[in-house]
Amino acid sequence: MLGELLYVQLLDLACGGLLLCAVLVLWRRELTVIIRVFAVQGAALAALVAVLAAHEASVELGVVALGVLVLRAGVLPWLLARALGGTGEARRETDPLVNVAASLLAAAVLTLLAYAVSHPLVALAPSPATQAIPVGITVILIGFFVLVTRRRALSQLVGFLLMDNGVTAVGFLTTANVGLAVELGVSLDVLLAVLVLQLLTTRMREAFGDTDLDELRELRD
């Protein structure tokens, strides 16, 4: 079982990694780099669960942490890399709806919003874990922002996965006793969604030569 000071420090480090990776996804436009950043965020999420497992002395939670690491830092980034394919322009988010500077400013605003919204929840049961809930909510909001402001299908898929990472983090921070079966079921749902979206992305590229959704709308018009 971790000492209280070490527990708080490791928890802060893991949550800081989660938030930093979300901001880096907003900052970078190269899809290969975005996928790597997403893999690092998966490792940070696994570290967060592992810290909670060590603090609670829970073997089951430790197994969940290992599963989170394999799925979110290994399998999902690998599937995204396979879906990427192509070269040149297809590997870069060329023209997002919001530029990088405005996106980073939006991230700061979303962080403040997350802290304001989650304050009543934290006040109900103040603890090192619940005090980190605003970080998870910020990751959810940034993921949604990526989902609605990026043009390429793969970037939007990463935004969806960022939201899922944030939801998972909030779930573990609010209750460390999330069952193995529950987490396994949720992870399998996410994996299935990514497999389907990967297939759709591949078919879009084969049929139209690109995955820019705005350009596909112009083709429809």
Side-chain angles (χ1 to χ4, degrees):
M1 190 170 181
L2 292 178
E4 193 65 22
L5 179 59
L6 179 59
Y7 165 61
V8 172
Q9 291 175 338
L10 292 176
L11 192 64
D12 289 344
L13 183 62
C15 289
L18 275 173
L19 182 57
L20 178 60
C21 288
V23 174
L24 287 176
V25 169
L26 281 179
W27 177 41
R28 300 307 296 263
R29 293 189 180 183
E30 300 83 358
L31 296 180
T32 52
V33 176
I34 289 174
I35 292 173
R36 293 191 192 109
V37 171
F38 171 73
V40 173
Q41 188 183 61
L45 180 59
L48 171 64
V49 180
V51 170
L52 294 173
H55 183 258
E56 300 289 334
S58 171
V59 176
E60 182 179 357
L61 203 55
V63 174
V64 172
L66 180 60
V68 169
L69 179 65
V70 171
L71 177 64
R72 299 176 189 269
V75 176
L76 292 180
W78 176 72
L79 290 173
L80 291 173
R82 283 193 60 187
L84 177 58
T87 57
E89 186 177 358
R91 290 183 173 269
R92 183 177 175 83
E93 182 71 41
T94 53
D95 190 22
L97 297 177
V98 181
N99 62 34
V100 173
S103 294
L104 294 178
L105 181 60
V109 174
L110 292 175
T111 302
L112 294 176
L113 177 62
Y115 274 87
V117 169
S118 59
H119 179 72
L121 180 61
V122 174
L124 289 175
S127 69
T130 56
Q131 288 173 359
I133 288 175
V135 173
I137 295 178
T138 302
V139 173
I140 295 173
L141 295 176
I142 290 178
F144 183 74
F145 184 81
V146 171
L147 184 62
V148 300
T149 60
R150 296 300 173 94
R151 294 177 183 271
R152 296 198 176 277
L154 194 63
S155 296
Q156 294 179 356
L157 178 54
V158 171
F160 166 76
L161 293 174
L162 287 181
M163 291 176 62
D164 181 67
N165 281 349
V167 170
T168 303
V170 172
F172 281 111
L173 289 170
T174 51
T175 169
N177 297 319
V178 175
L180 178 60
V182 174
E183 174 59 23
L184 180 60
V186 172
S187 297
L188 288 176
D189 285 343
V190 173
L191 181 59
L192 178 61
V194 172
L195 287 172
V196 171
L197 291 172
Q198 181 203 16
L199 178 62
L200 289 176
T201 302
T202 302
R203 292 289 181 259
M204 286 166 57
R205 183 177 294 109
E206 291 175 352
F208 304 107
D210 204 348
T211 59
D212 189 315
L213 298 185
D214 282 353
E215 293 183 4
L216 295 181
R217 291 190 191 99
E218 291 177 3
L219 286 175
R220 181 197 65 185
D221 296 337

